[in-house]
Amino acid sequence: MTVLPRMFHSLAFLLLFELSLPAGGYAQFFTHLQFENGLSRFKNEKSYLLIRPRLELGQTVSEDHIRFKWRASYQPEIFDLNASLFSQRFKGQFVLSGQIQKLAADIRFRTRYQHFQFSSAAYAWQSSDFSLNLVYRTSPSFSWNAMGMLWYRDTKDFDRQKLNAAVAQIGPGLIFQSFSLMALLYHERYVLHPVAGDTLRTTSGQRVGLSFSIDRKRDFLFSLNFKILLHFHQGLIKPLTDQQVNFLFGVWLGERWTFFLFVGYNRLPSASENLTSRLLYSPVNSANRFHLKLGHDVNHRIEIYLRLGYEQERLIRPADRWQYGQLVVGLKMKVR
């Protein structure tokens, strides 16, 4: 039962931090409290009773054409009230955006850290990214888009590697009354570093290809992104082909009911058996995901929902997979 004191100590720290922040002016603070309870099942394991509280704090500052927003969250996960099976996750994000005539820009920094304790073993992974997005509207229906990103990921407890990557995308976009289209050239350069003491050598590679997106936000939410990339990995004679699909659909079911579906699929043939002697590549977000959510707005501050989810993360070899399914009932409150 040592999990509960740890959880309450962390939540109390964030609450005290939030209460110490000044209010007033043009800065708008927000606090979200969330609680989920249900079942979680890991690969080849029994089903566990899951308790997952979450606290999110943030602030939005707007003045003229400049907007700044930050948010931070802490989320512990408790399985069967068992101290030997415990997870905690920290997330932080900063966004600075602005617009000057036809040019809009935003700068983003995100960091994520998760610690997972299972029986006598403990695992941790951390990732951060910094991005710059530019949109130049030449007309109400046409834009040029440029995106740059730096990635860092440390997953040494799982696949013995650290990843540094730089990504650049550029291409046109079409804006219509109810939806938008975008087609971008994609280039990524990455370096994989082994953990200290590992006999594997540092390797590198590139991924080059196209990214297509379609988004609709009127009447219902529809978002689809598809990437097809040639993957040049050090030591390979010919390039491989990577594919990634992210699909999001949301709709109102009456005045207070909502339904959301999210599917994320990654095809990464680079993680094949003929590369087990080298460090293997997987992108920062490489999990296959499936989520269904049915929500009911009790009022403008409280939502209750039912969520079904499944995730599968392929690690260094096809036989190594981190996967789980969850069915939870949740409550989300906007405190301020």
Side-chain angles (χ1 to χ4, degrees), residues 128-155:
S128 299
D129 59 74
F130 175 82
S131 63
L132 171 64
N133 302 314
L134 300 173
V135 179
Y136 183 74
R137 295 282 290 268
T138 59
S139 71
S141 60
F142 185 84
S143 67
W144 284 103
N145 307 271
M147 305 175 187
M149 178 179 290
L150 299 175
W151 279 343
Y152 169 77
R153 184 187 62 190
D154 183 347
T155 54

PDB file of all heavy atoms in Angstrom, residues 128-155:
ATOM      1  N   SER A 128      11.425  14.172 -25.697  1.00  0.00           N
ATOM      2  CA  SER A 128      11.193  15.609 -25.802  1.00  0.00           C
ATOM      3  C   SER A 128      11.269  16.002 -27.264  1.00  0.00           C
ATOM      4  O   SER A 128      11.986  15.379 -28.058  1.00  0.00           O
ATOM      5  CB  SER A 128      12.236  16.404 -24.997  1.00  0.00           C
ATOM      6  OG  SER A 128      12.183  16.078 -23.626  1.00  0.00           O
ATOM      7  N   ASP A 129      10.539  17.034 -27.639  1.00  0.00           N
ATOM      8  CA  ASP A 129      10.636  17.548 -28.998  1.00  0.00           C
ATOM      9  C   ASP A 129      10.424  19.058 -29.009  1.00  0.00           C
ATOM     10  O   ASP A 129       9.683  19.615 -28.192  1.00  0.00           O
ATOM     11  CB  ASP A 129       9.643  16.856 -29.936  1.00  0.00           C
ATOM     12  CG  ASP A 129       8.197  17.008 -29.509  1.00  0.00           C
ATOM     13  OD1 ASP A 129       7.642  18.097 -29.667  1.00  0.00           O
ATOM     14  OD2 ASP A 129       7.627  16.013 -29.014  1.00  0.00           O
ATOM     15  N   PHE A 130      11.083  19.706 -29.934  1.00  0.00           N
ATOM     16  CA  PHE A 130      10.996  21.148 -30.135  1.00  0.00           C
ATOM     17  C   PHE A 130      10.645  21.377 -31.598  1.00  0.00           C
ATOM     18  O   PHE A 130      11.321  20.857 -32.492  1.00  0.00           O
ATOM     19  CB  PHE A 130      12.323  21.818 -29.790  1.00  0.00           C
ATOM     20  CG  PHE A 130      12.352  23.301 -30.085  1.00  0.00           C
ATOM     21  CD1 PHE A 130      11.816  24.205 -29.185  1.00  0.00           C
ATOM     22  CD2 PHE A 130      12.907  23.770 -31.264  1.00  0.00           C
ATOM     23  CE1 PHE A 130      11.841  25.566 -29.448  1.00  0.00           C
ATOM     24  CE2 PHE A 130      12.930  25.121 -31.537  1.00  0.00           C
ATOM     25  CZ  PHE A 130      12.396  26.028 -30.629  1.00  0.00           C
ATOM     26  N   SER A 131       9.591  22.144 -31.877  1.00  0.00           N
ATOM     27  CA  SER A 131       9.136  22.299 -33.262  1.00  0.00           C
ATOM     28  C   SER A 131       8.834  23.752 -33.581  1.00  0.00           C
ATOM     29  O   SER A 131       8.467  24.545 -32.709  1.00  0.00           O
ATOM     30  CB  SER A 131       7.891  21.434 -33.528  1.00  0.00           C
ATOM     31  OG  SER A 131       6.807  21.860 -32.726  1.00  0.00           O
ATOM     32  N   LEU A 132       8.974  24.088 -34.862  1.00  0.00           N
ATOM     33  CA  LEU A 132       8.625  25.397 -35.417  1.00  0.00           C
ATOM     34  C   LEU A 132       7.739  25.172 -36.630  1.00  0.00           C
ATOM     35  O   LEU A 132       8.108  24.435 -37.552  1.00  0.00           O
ATOM     36  CB  LEU A 132       9.876  26.167 -35.822  1.00  0.00           C
ATOM     37  CG  LEU A 132       9.652  27.459 -36.617  1.00  0.00           C
ATOM     38  CD1 LEU A 132       8.900  28.491 -35.777  1.00  0.00           C
ATOM     39  CD2 LEU A 132      10.973  28.025 -37.118  1.00  0.00           C
ATOM     40  N   ASN A 133       6.544  25.780 -36.635  1.00  0.00           N
ATOM     41  CA  ASN A 133       5.592  25.646 -37.736  1.00  0.00           C
ATOM     42  C   ASN A 133       5.312  27.016 -38.332  1.00  0.00           C
ATOM     43  O   ASN A 133       4.997  27.967 -37.598  1.00  0.00           O
ATOM     44  CB  ASN A 133       4.282  25.017 -37.247  1.00  0.00           C
ATOM     45  CG  ASN A 133       4.496  23.659 -36.618  1.00  0.00           C
ATOM     46  OD1 ASN A 133       5.199  22.819 -37.161  1.00  0.00           O
ATOM     47  ND2 ASN A 133       3.901  23.443 -35.456  1.00  0.00           N
ATOM     48  N   LEU A 134       5.383  27.120 -39.657  1.00  0.00           N
ATOM     49  CA  LEU A 134       5.126  28.362 -40.373  1.00  0.00           C
ATOM     50  C   LEU A 134       4.048  28.127 -41.417  1.00  0.00           C
ATOM     51  O   LEU A 134       4.083  27.131 -42.150  1.00  0.00           O
ATOM     52  CB  LEU A 134       6.390  28.876 -41.058  1.00  0.00           C
ATOM     53  CG  LEU A 134       7.590  29.201 -40.166  1.00  0.00           C
ATOM     54  CD1 LEU A 134       8.807  29.533 -41.012  1.00  0.00           C
ATOM     55  CD2 LEU A 134       7.261  30.340 -39.217  1.00  0.00           C
ATOM     56  N   VAL A 135       3.080  29.041 -41.487  1.00  0.00           N
ATOM     57  CA  VAL A 135       2.014  28.982 -42.489  1.00  0.00           C
ATOM     58  C   VAL A 135       1.898  30.356 -43.142  1.00  0.00           C
ATOM     59  O   VAL A 135       1.648  31.359 -42.454  1.00  0.00           O
ATOM     60  CB  VAL A 135       0.659  28.586 -41.866  1.00  0.00           C
ATOM     61  CG1 VAL A 135      -0.425  28.563 -42.941  1.00  0.00           C
ATOM     62  CG2 VAL A 135       0.760  27.230 -41.177  1.00  0.00           C
ATOM     63  N   TYR A 136       2.063  30.393 -44.469  1.00  0.00           N
ATOM     64  CA  TYR A 136       1.955  31.649 -45.215  1.00  0.00           C
ATOM     65  C   TYR A 136       0.745  31.568 -46.141  1.00  0.00           C
ATOM     66  O   TYR A 136       0.726  30.758 -47.071  1.00  0.00           O
ATOM     67  CB  TYR A 136       3.230  31.921 -46.020  1.00  0.00           C
ATOM     68  CG  TYR A 136       3.209  33.247 -46.750  1.00  0.00           C
ATOM     69  CD1 TYR A 136       3.372  34.438 -46.059  1.00  0.00           C
ATOM     70  CD2 TYR A 136       3.016  33.290 -48.128  1.00  0.00           C
ATOM     71  CE1 TYR A 136       3.343  35.657 -46.709  1.00  0.00           C
ATOM     72  CE2 TYR A 136       2.991  34.499 -48.801  1.00  0.00           C
ATOM     73  CZ  TYR A 136       3.148  35.675 -48.078  1.00  0.00           C
ATOM     74  OH  TYR A 136       3.109  36.886 -48.741  1.00  0.00           O
ATOM     75  N   ARG A 137      -0.275  32.375 -45.861  1.00  0.00           N
ATOM     76  CA  ARG A 137      -1.512  32.349 -46.641  1.00  0.00           C
ATOM     77  C   ARG A 137      -1.381  33.316 -47.814  1.00  0.00           C
ATOM     78  O   ARG A 137      -1.432  34.533 -47.649  1.00  0.00           O
ATOM     79  CB  ARG A 137      -2.692  32.760 -45.762  1.00  0.00           C
ATOM     80  CG  ARG A 137      -3.006  31.802 -44.621  1.00  0.00           C
ATOM     81  CD  ARG A 137      -3.764  30.574 -45.103  1.00  0.00           C
ATOM     82  NE  ARG A 137      -5.112  30.891 -45.508  1.00  0.00           N
ATOM     83  CZ  ARG A 137      -6.165  30.843 -44.706  1.00  0.00           C
ATOM     84  NH1 ARG A 137      -6.022  30.490 -43.441  1.00  0.00           N
ATOM     85  NH2 ARG A 137      -7.372  31.140 -45.166  1.00  0.00           N
ATOM     86  N   THR A 138      -1.197  32.781 -49.021  1.00  0.00           N
ATOM     87  CA  THR A 138      -1.124  33.625 -50.202  1.00  0.00           C
ATOM     88  C   THR A 138      -2.504  34.086 -50.650  1.00  0.00           C
ATOM     89  O   THR A 138      -2.630  35.081 -51.353  1.00  0.00           O
ATOM     90  CB  THR A 138      -0.445  32.871 -51.356  1.00  0.00           C
ATOM     91  OG1 THR A 138      -1.205  31.686 -51.649  1.00  0.00           O
ATOM     92  CG2 THR A 138       0.972  32.470 -50.954  1.00  0.00           C
ATOM     93  N   SER A 139      -3.532  33.332 -50.251  1.00  0.00           N
ATOM     94  CA  SER A 139      -4.916  33.680 -50.549  1.00  0.00           C
ATOM     95  C   SER A 139      -5.790  33.010 -49.492  1.00  0.00           C
ATOM     96  O   SER A 139      -5.306  32.171 -48.726  1.00  0.00           O
ATOM     97  CB  SER A 139      -5.301  33.215 -51.953  1.00  0.00           C
ATOM     98  OG  SER A 139      -5.403  31.802 -52.011  1.00  0.00           O
ATOM     99  N   PRO A 140      -7.082  33.350 -49.433  1.00  0.00           N
ATOM    100  CA  PRO A 140      -7.944  32.691 -48.446  1.00  0.00           C
ATOM    101  C   PRO A 140      -8.022  31.173 -48.593  1.00  0.00           C
ATOM    102  O   PRO A 140      -8.370  30.478 -47.630  1.00  0.00           O
ATOM    103  CB  PRO A 140      -9.308  33.341 -48.683  1.00  0.00           C
ATOM    104  CG  PRO A 140      -8.996  34.675 -49.265  1.00  0.00           C
ATOM    105  CD  PRO A 140      -7.777  34.460 -50.119  1.00  0.00           C
ATOM    106  N   SER A 141      -7.689  30.644 -49.778  1.00  0.00           N
ATOM    107  CA  SER A 141      -7.844  29.205 -50.010  1.00  0.00           C
ATOM    108  C   SER A 141      -6.538  28.474 -50.266  1.00  0.00           C
ATOM    109  O   SER A 141      -6.552  27.275 -50.550  1.00  0.00           O
ATOM    110  CB  SER A 141      -8.795  28.960 -51.194  1.00  0.00           C
ATOM    111  OG  SER A 141      -8.280  29.563 -52.368  1.00  0.00           O
ATOM    112  N   PHE A 142      -5.374  29.164 -50.162  1.00  0.00           N
ATOM    113  CA  PHE A 142      -4.101  28.505 -50.464  1.00  0.00           C
ATOM    114  C   PHE A 142      -3.038  28.973 -49.478  1.00  0.00           C
ATOM    115  O   PHE A 142      -2.981  30.147 -49.106  1.00  0.00           O
ATOM    116  CB  PHE A 142      -3.642  28.802 -51.893  1.00  0.00           C
ATOM    117  CG  PHE A 142      -2.404  28.054 -52.309  1.00  0.00           C
ATOM    118  CD1 PHE A 142      -2.488  26.763 -52.801  1.00  0.00           C
ATOM    119  CD2 PHE A 142      -1.146  28.641 -52.185  1.00  0.00           C
ATOM    120  CE1 PHE A 142      -1.348  26.068 -53.171  1.00  0.00           C
ATOM    121  CE2 PHE A 142       0.000  27.959 -52.562  1.00  0.00           C
ATOM    122  CZ  PHE A 142      -0.110  26.666 -53.057  1.00  0.00           C
ATOM    123  N   SER A 143      -2.177  28.028 -49.068  1.00  0.00           N
ATOM    124  CA  SER A 143      -1.101  28.365 -48.140  1.00  0.00           C
ATOM    125  C   SER A 143       0.130  27.537 -48.446  1.00  0.00           C
ATOM    126  O   SER A 143       0.042  26.440 -49.011  1.00  0.00           O
ATOM    127  CB  SER A 143      -1.547  28.123 -46.691  1.00  0.00           C
ATOM    128  OG  SER A 143      -1.734  26.734 -46.453  1.00  0.00           O
ATOM    129  N   TRP A 144       1.279  28.075 -48.044  1.00  0.00           N
ATOM    130  CA  TRP A 144       2.524  27.322 -48.027  1.00  0.00           C
ATOM    131  C   TRP A 144       2.859  26.995 -46.571  1.00  0.00           C
ATOM    132  O   TRP A 144       2.741  27.856 -45.699  1.00  0.00           O
ATOM    133  CB  TRP A 144       3.668  28.101 -48.667  1.00  0.00           C
ATOM    134  CG  TRP A 144       3.594  28.132 -50.164  1.00  0.00           C
ATOM    135  CD1 TRP A 144       3.178  29.161 -50.952  1.00  0.00           C
ATOM    136  CD2 TRP A 144       3.947  27.070 -51.049  1.00  0.00           C
ATOM    137  NE1 TRP A 144       3.235  28.829 -52.276  1.00  0.00           N
ATOM    138  CE2 TRP A 144       3.712  27.546 -52.376  1.00  0.00           C
ATOM    139  CE3 TRP A 144       4.430  25.771 -50.882  1.00  0.00           C
ATOM    140  CZ2 TRP A 144       3.948  26.755 -53.496  1.00  0.00           C
ATOM    141  CZ3 TRP A 144       4.667  24.989 -51.996  1.00  0.00           C
ATOM    142  CH2 TRP A 144       4.424  25.481 -53.282  1.00  0.00           C
ATOM    143  N   ASN A 145       3.285  25.754 -46.334  1.00  0.00           N
ATOM    144  CA  ASN A 145       3.510  25.285 -44.969  1.00  0.00           C
ATOM    145  C   ASN A 145       4.927  24.744 -44.833  1.00  0.00           C
ATOM    146  O   ASN A 145       5.402  23.995 -45.695  1.00  0.00           O
ATOM    147  CB  ASN A 145       2.513  24.182 -44.612  1.00  0.00           C
ATOM    148  CG  ASN A 145       1.081  24.589 -44.863  1.00  0.00           C
ATOM    149  OD1 ASN A 145       0.430  25.155 -44.003  1.00  0.00           O
ATOM    150  ND2 ASN A 145       0.575  24.307 -46.070  1.00  0.00           N
ATOM    151  N   ALA A 146       5.589  25.133 -43.743  1.00  0.00           N
ATOM    152  CA  ALA A 146       6.928  24.632 -43.446  1.00  0.00           C
ATOM    153  C   ALA A 146       6.980  24.234 -41.971  1.00  0.00           C
ATOM    154  O   ALA A 146       6.480  24.964 -41.111  1.00  0.00           O
ATOM    155  CB  ALA A 146       7.991  25.682 -43.757  1.00  0.00           C
ATOM    156  N   MET A 147       7.557  23.069 -41.690  1.00  0.00           N
ATOM    157  CA  MET A 147       7.629  22.551 -40.325  1.00  0.00           C
ATOM    158  C   MET A 147       9.013  21.981 -40.066  1.00  0.00           C
ATOM    159  O   MET A 147       9.571  21.288 -40.909  1.00  0.00           O
ATOM    160  CB  MET A 147       6.583  21.441 -40.106  1.00  0.00           C
ATOM    161  CG  MET A 147       5.171  21.845 -40.437  1.00  0.00           C
ATOM    162  SD  MET A 147       4.013  20.460 -40.282  1.00  0.00           S
ATOM    163  CE  MET A 147       2.509  21.223 -40.935  1.00  0.00           C
ATOM    164  N   GLY A 148       9.548  22.279 -38.903  1.00  0.00           N
ATOM    165  CA  GLY A 148      10.827  21.723 -38.490  1.00  0.00           C
ATOM    166  C   GLY A 148      10.727  21.202 -37.066  1.00  0.00           C
ATOM    167  O   GLY A 148      10.026  21.784 -36.231  1.00  0.00           O
ATOM    168  N   MET A 149      11.408  20.094 -36.770  1.00  0.00           N
ATOM    169  CA  MET A 149      11.310  19.499 -35.441  1.00  0.00           C
ATOM    170  C   MET A 149      12.616  18.815 -35.069  1.00  0.00           C
ATOM    171  O   MET A 149      13.278  18.203 -35.906  1.00  0.00           O
ATOM    172  CB  MET A 149      10.170  18.482 -35.386  1.00  0.00           C
ATOM    173  CG  MET A 149      10.023  17.775 -34.040  1.00  0.00           C
ATOM    174  SD  MET A 149       8.642  16.609 -33.995  1.00  0.00           S
ATOM    175  CE  MET A 149       7.252  17.739 -34.029  1.00  0.00           C
ATOM    176  N   LEU A 150      12.983  18.944 -33.781  1.00  0.00           N
ATOM    177  CA  LEU A 150      14.089  18.200 -33.195  1.00  0.00           C
ATOM    178  C   LEU A 150      13.517  17.247 -32.161  1.00  0.00           C
ATOM    179  O   LEU A 150      12.729  17.665 -31.302  1.00  0.00           O
ATOM    180  CB  LEU A 150      15.104  19.152 -32.539  1.00  0.00           C
ATOM    181  CG  LEU A 150      15.780  20.161 -33.462  1.00  0.00           C
ATOM    182  CD1 LEU A 150      16.665  21.102 -32.643  1.00  0.00           C
ATOM    183  CD2 LEU A 150      16.613  19.455 -34.538  1.00  0.00           C
ATOM    184  N   TRP A 151      13.921  15.976 -32.226  1.00  0.00           N
ATOM    185  CA  TRP A 151      13.417  14.944 -31.319  1.00  0.00           C
ATOM    186  C   TRP A 151      14.546  14.405 -30.455  1.00  0.00           C
ATOM    187  O   TRP A 151      15.691  14.288 -30.900  1.00  0.00           O
ATOM    188  CB  TRP A 151      12.860  13.750 -32.107  1.00  0.00           C
ATOM    189  CG  TRP A 151      11.484  13.910 -32.627  1.00  0.00           C
ATOM    190  CD1 TRP A 151      10.553  14.816 -32.238  1.00  0.00           C
ATOM    191  CD2 TRP A 151      10.885  13.123 -33.651  1.00  0.00           C
ATOM    192  NE1 TRP A 151       9.405  14.649 -32.953  1.00  0.00           N
ATOM    193  CE2 TRP A 151       9.582  13.621 -33.828  1.00  0.00           C
ATOM    194  CE3 TRP A 151      11.307  12.049 -34.424  1.00  0.00           C
ATOM    195  CZ2 TRP A 151       8.700  13.079 -34.761  1.00  0.00           C
ATOM    196  CZ3 TRP A 151      10.437  11.514 -35.353  1.00  0.00           C
ATOM    197  CH2 TRP A 151       9.147  12.022 -35.515  1.00  0.00           C
ATOM    198  N   TYR A 152      14.197  14.027 -29.251  1.00  0.00           N
ATOM    199  CA  TYR A 152      15.109  13.270 -28.395  1.00  0.00           C
ATOM    200  C   TYR A 152      14.285  12.223 -27.657  1.00  0.00           C
ATOM    201  O   TYR A 152      13.193  12.523 -27.164  1.00  0.00           O
ATOM    202  CB  TYR A 152      15.813  14.161 -27.369  1.00  0.00           C
ATOM    203  CG  TYR A 152      16.546  13.376 -26.302  1.00  0.00           C
ATOM    204  CD1 TYR A 152      17.770  12.786 -26.568  1.00  0.00           C
ATOM    205  CD2 TYR A 152      15.984  13.200 -25.034  1.00  0.00           C
ATOM    206  CE1 TYR A 152      18.440  12.044 -25.602  1.00  0.00           C
ATOM    207  CE2 TYR A 152      16.646  12.455 -24.066  1.00  0.00           C
ATOM    208  CZ  TYR A 152      17.871  11.883 -24.352  1.00  0.00           C
ATOM    209  OH  TYR A 152      18.510  11.143 -23.396  1.00  0.00           O
ATOM    210  N   ARG A 153      14.785  11.007 -27.598  1.00  0.00           N
ATOM    211  CA  ARG A 153      14.082   9.947 -26.875  1.00  0.00           C
ATOM    212  C   ARG A 153      15.091   9.021 -26.206  1.00  0.00           C
ATOM    213  O   ARG A 153      16.114   8.663 -26.794  1.00  0.00           O
ATOM    214  CB  ARG A 153      13.201   9.130 -27.821  1.00  0.00           C
ATOM    215  CG  ARG A 153      12.365   8.071 -27.093  1.00  0.00           C
ATOM    216  CD  ARG A 153      11.636   7.174 -28.076  1.00  0.00           C
ATOM    217  NE  ARG A 153      12.588   6.449 -28.898  1.00  0.00           N
ATOM    218  CZ  ARG A 153      12.236   5.738 -29.973  1.00  0.00           C
ATOM    219  NH1 ARG A 153      10.983   5.709 -30.345  1.00  0.00           N
ATOM    220  NH2 ARG A 153      13.150   5.089 -30.670  1.00  0.00           N
ATOM    221  N   ASP A 154      14.792   8.642 -24.975  1.00  0.00           N
ATOM    222  CA  ASP A 154      15.639   7.726 -24.218  1.00  0.00           C
ATOM    223  C   ASP A 154      14.773   6.556 -23.769  1.00  0.00           C
ATOM    224  O   ASP A 154      13.895   6.704 -22.925  1.00  0.00           O
ATOM    225  CB  ASP A 154      16.235   8.449 -23.005  1.00  0.00           C
ATOM    226  CG  ASP A 154      17.193   7.566 -22.213  1.00  0.00           C
ATOM    227  OD1 ASP A 154      17.208   6.343 -22.450  1.00  0.00           O
ATOM    228  OD2 ASP A 154      17.917   8.101 -21.357  1.00  0.00           O
ATOM    229  N   THR A 155      14.991   5.388 -24.385  1.00  0.00           N
ATOM    230  CA  THR A 155      14.233   4.175 -24.041  1.00  0.00           C
ATOM    231  C   THR A 155      15.201   3.053 -23.688  1.00  0.00           C
ATOM    232  O   THR A 155      14.997   1.895 -24.057  1.00  0.00           O
ATOM    233  CB  THR A 155      13.319   3.741 -25.201  1.00  0.00           C
ATOM    234  OG1 THR A 155      14.122   3.604 -26.390  1.00  0.00           O
ATOM    235  CG2 THR A 155      12.231   4.755 -25.453  1.00  0.00           C
TER     236      THR A 155
END
